[in-house]
Amino acid sequence: MSKTIWVLVEIENGKAARSSLEVLGKAAQLGRAEAIVLGSAAAEVAPTLGEFGAEKVYVHADAIYDNYLTLPAVDTISDLLKQHQPALLMLATTYDLRDIAARLNVRNTMGLITDATDLAFAGDTLQVTVPWGGENVVTATHPQQGSGIVLTRPKAFGVENFAGRNAEIETLSPALNAESQKIKILDRVDVPSEGPALEDASVIVSGGRGLGKADNFHLVEELATSLGGAAGATRAIVDAGWLPYSYQIGQTGKTVKPTLYVACGISGAIQHLAGMKGSKYIIAINKDEHAPIFSVADLGVIGDAITILPQLTQEVKRRKTH
Amino acid sequence: MKIYVCVKQIPDPNTVVSKLDPNTKRLVRSGVSLVLDPGDESTISAAIKLRDTVGNSEVTAVSMGPASAQEAMRRALAMGVDRAILVTDPALAGSDALGTARVLAAILQKESPDLVFCSTESTDGYTGMVPGSIAEFLNLPQLTFAREINVEGAKAIIKRVTLTGYQTVECPLPVVVTIASGSFEAIYPTMKGIMGAKKKPFTQLTLADLAIDPSQVGETGARERVATIGKAEARAAGQIIKDDGNSAQAIADFLQRYQLI
């Protein structure tokens, strides 16, 4: 019998978030995919989910989920989990879904695996693939009994199309707990950034500790501009306060898959590799020949990024005009 | 106000390449240089800053770890934390996020905190699941990915990082807050801080002190199992060159070969 897999679908600007649709498609390949969608736009989003793989959608169209973070969603899903026993609950790794997953894991004693890039059932046993650094890959499993949770790495799967599939819609009417209306969103501010967004850029040049100091980061930005790309950073230099969090590429921060990734002064910590290993071409510049980043590089240059970057920017500009 | 910071000792991310032990299937933590998680240094600094702004408050660092974690706690104290509590027990080895959160929550439960700070995730495990789990165990709300925190009366208000900017989010106290990496500059311990740390209260507990059943934590209590550790599909071996002054040319050649410029 095919397994039932639930996917919590996040709403973004009134539509199903792409990251959630990727997870839904994967769930539909593994078994019977059922979606949960909560929020004021849920009723409009629900009927669109069939063609992305959902056989059934649980819907609660209520603005409470838009105005109060985490707790109302945890209440609703937790109750639903007590009525049904899906084999698995899958979620994309996003800010809000991480928070929900952590609480559900405790409340329903589920078992939780993060950062998955693949999943498969071998009989009744779920096998989850979790990359570990540049070299290892771990296969993890959930307990045999009860539902488990898997958070998947962004962009691990493509969006799948299940043309003609119509999802059965079940409208939920959970009792809303006033005690759970605590984490209130007062306002939302978008900070526009210059150039292409990191997630969409086809070229990314990023910098790490090997740049020496924050004042050298402009070298990274200049190469990015000359290549028509975006600039990114490692967690180490974001931690050091050189750049805002929006630049961070890695397991937290952003997962990117550009055509070209140029890593400058980046050693290649697991945290960072997790966010960029899927890039088509990787060029690494680092002084330390043993840096793990070289194990994923198509072209590795053992040298000082601070010296090479300005030369390279100039050379790129020269070749572009000839 | 009683402010608590959950911290962790980890292999130094700046010098140690993380390895998995093929036998225990755990992260190798012995024989390597161990430090207070640099993310936690930033989080501790956020707590100290808030303590000093609010006044009449104390910051306590709490952790679960082997005996070696005493060093990390001393560093927290040297940075300006007022008290430290460390749970050490052989039964804790191999704990998952749920087990870790269960232990930290048990400490906090006894302490009646107003605020619990955590880093968004540790720099070695990265699951980011412990803070939300602690909050659930304590039946407290959670404010996550904070890059700015203010306390006004009985409410905490944070600026919360999002993919496209930030949200302003408020919540009544007590609450668990996670700090987005890089949001607060880490305090560097002074000599006076290091000397003073030795006189500060440092409590060490075992599972029995917390009345936790050992079967609920450690490897026995973990709800997940690492089945195998394999080699990742390697990318085709790349070309590695030593910079001889012409690297810019070599890189530009590569870019042109693959039509990237």
Side-chain angles (χ1 to χ4, degrees):
Chain A
M1 209 185 107
S2 95
K3 312 266 184 213
T4 299
I5 298 153
W6 283 4
V7 177
L8 177 56
V9 171
E10 217 169 13
I11 299 176
E12 218 173 69
N13 302 320
K15 289 183 180 159
R18 189 191 155 88
S19 56
S20 293
L21 296 180
E22 291 168 359
V23 178
L24 186 56
K26 182 66 193 177
Q29 290 173 340
L30 287 171
R32 174 185 161 86
E34 300 185 347
I36 304 166
V37 57
L38 309 169
S40 55
E44 290 79 57
V45 170
T48 67
L49 298 177
E51 62 174 314
F52 296 107
E55 308 250 17
K56 181 171 182 175
V57 186
Y58 295 97
V59 188
H60 190 215
D62 196 307
I64 194 172
Y65 305 103
D66 309 343
N67 299 331
Y68 296 94
L69 287 170
T70 319
L71 299 173
V74 171
D75 288 350
T76 300
I77 299 164
S78 176
D79 285 349
L80 206 55
L81 280 164
K82 283 169 191 153
Q83 295 163 40
H84 307 271
Q85 281 272 318
L88 194 64
L89 170 64
M90 285 174 70
L91 306 93
T93 306
T94 69
Y95 295 73
D96 293 355
L97 296 183
R98 272 165 60 124
D99 287 354
I100 292 169
R103 293 193 84 109
L104 281 174
N105 184 37
V106 175
R107 194 173 296 183
N108 294 44
T109 320
M110 298 175 76
L112 182 155
I113 296 170
T114 55
D115 201 35
T117 56
D118 204 6
L119 298 85
F121 281 102
D124 271 346
T125 309
L126 175 71
Q127 295 184 330
V128 185
T129 304
V130 181
W132 184 264
E135 291 178 352
N136 288 128
V137 56
V138 167
T139 313
T141 56
H142 269 307
Q144 303 284 326
Q145 281 157 7
S147 313
I149 305 178
V150 173
L151 281 160
T152 63
R153 186 181 284 190
K155 299 195 173 81
F157 318 110
V159 173
E160 301 292 330
N161 193 276
F162 295 79
R165 186 177 285 188
N166 276 312
E168 174 200 344
I169 310 269
E170 181 175 330
T171 305
L172 304 171
S173 45
L176 294 171
N177 180 358
E179 275 297 297
S180 294
Q181 294 163 40
K182 274 190 172 158
I183 315 170
K184 187 178 182 185
I185 301 177
L186 301 179
D187 70 351
R188 295 175 169 86
V189 178
D190 284 339
V191 182
S193 59
E194 285 174 35
L198 262 182
E199 303 91 313
D200 305 329
S202 61
V203 174
I204 293 173
V205 183
S206 73
R209 269 203 190 277
L211 294 173
K213 53 180 180 180
D215 287 352
N216 287 331
F217 191 76
H218 71 96
L219 301 172
V220 166
E221 288 174 314
E222 282 154 17
L223 179 61
T225 306
S226 75
L227 291 165
T234 62
R235 175 169 164 182
I237 69 171
V238 170
D239 272 346
W242 297 9
L243 291 157
Y245 189 76
S246 59
Y247 281 77
Q248 185 170 316
I249 294 169
Q251 189 156 330
T252 43
K254 289 163 183 169
T255 301
V256 297
K257 271 191 176 176
T259 308
L260 172 66
Y261 191 90
V262 187
C264 310
I266 292 175
S267 64
I270 289 170
Q271 145 80 7
H272 189 72
L273 294 178
M276 47 65 74
K277 235 184 82 180
S279 307
K280 183 143 193 242
Y281 298 104
I282 297 172
I283 298 176
I285 307 170
N286 199 300
K287 277 193 280 198
D288 174 11
E289 61 182 297
H290 301 296
I293 191 78
F294 287 129
S295 70
V296 299
D298 299 290
L299 175 64
V301 178
I302 302 162
D304 190 350
I306 299 162
T307 325
I308 297 168
L309 276 170
Q311 296 167 356
L312 179 57
T313 304
Q314 210 176 20
E315 186 61 19
V316 167
K317 284 184 184 160
R318 193 184 69 79
R319 295 200 192 190
K320 274 184 146 180
T321 51
H322 283 77
Chain B
M1 256 191 347
K2 294 170 81 177
I3 307 170
Y4 292 78
V5 187
C6 300
V7 301
K8 186 178 182 185
Q9 185 189 48
I10 63 164
D12 185 350
N14 292 317
T15 60
V16 180
V17 178
S18 302
K19 288 215 160 45
L20 295 169
D21 182 320
N23 297 317
T24 63
K25 301 191 174 110
R26 296 181 199 147
L27 188 62
V28 176
R29 291 177 210 268
S30 60
V32 299
S33 157
L34 298 166
V35 295
L36 175 62
D37 190 322
D40 291 341
E41 294 202 355
S42 170
T43 303
I44 288 168
S45 305
I48 290 173
K49 195 176 156 199
L50 184 68
R51 173 195 70 191
D52 296 344
T53 310
V54 176
N56 192 27
S57 300
E58 68 163 12
V59 174
T60 306
V62 297
S63 187
M64 168 188 127
S68 65
Q70 291 171 7
E71 284 306 308
M73 303 311 273
R74 292 221 170 81
R75 181 162 177 96
L77 292 168
M79 287 175 69
V81 163
D82 302 296
R83 287 198 295 141
I85 304 170
L86 172 66
V87 182
T88 299
D89 201 294
L92 291 170
S95 291
D96 63 356
L98 190 70
T100 307
R102 188 185 297 281
V103 171
L104 294 172
I107 305 172
L108 294 163
Q109 188 84 59
K110 293 184 165 187
E111 299 276 329
S112 309
D114 295 300
L115 278 162
V116 178
F117 279 27
C118 301
S119 303
T120 295
E121 77 281 293
S122 66
T123 312
D124 62 345
Y126 302 115
T127 70
M129 291 296 120
V130 171
S133 306
I134 291 173
E136 178 66 25
F137 274 119
L138 296 173
N139 195 23
L140 295 181
Q142 75 215 81
L143 288 171
T144 56
F145 289 95
R147 60 170 222 202
E148 222 180 283
I149 307 154
N150 288 295
V151 173
E152 290 174 15
K155 268 192 288 197
I157 299 171
I158 65 154
K159 283 204 164 52
R160 179 177 190 254
V161 175
T162 63
L163 271 183
T164 51
Y166 66 89
Q167 300 166 330
T168 311
V169 186
E170 70 163 33
C171 182
L173 301 178
V175 61
V176 176
V177 178
T178 77
I179 306 294
S181 54
S183 303
F184 293 86
E185 201 177 332
I187 294 166
Y188 201 78
T190 59
M191 189 48 79
K192 193 175 155 218
I194 293 166
M195 298 313 289
K198 292 174 183 162
K199 297 191 201 86
K200 290 180 178 174
F202 183 2
T203 312
Q204 297 199 54
L205 303 173
T206 62
L207 280 179
D209 296 323
L210 295 169
I212 291 176
D213 176 354
S215 72
Q216 289 193 309
V217 295
E219 198 165 298
T220 334
R223 301 275 297 170
E224 310 81 15
R225 290 283 175 272
V226 171
T228 61
I229 299 171
K231 280 277 166 210
E233 199 178 312
R235 290 177 70 103
Q239 182 196 0
I240 307 286
I241 57 171
K242 253 201 163 87
D243 182 36
D244 56 357
N246 296 313
S247 298
Q249 303 289 334
I251 297 171
D253 289 346
F254 179 95
L255 296 175
Q256 270 188 327
R257 194 178 325 135
Y258 295 102
Q259 302 184 341
L260 299 164
I261 47 175

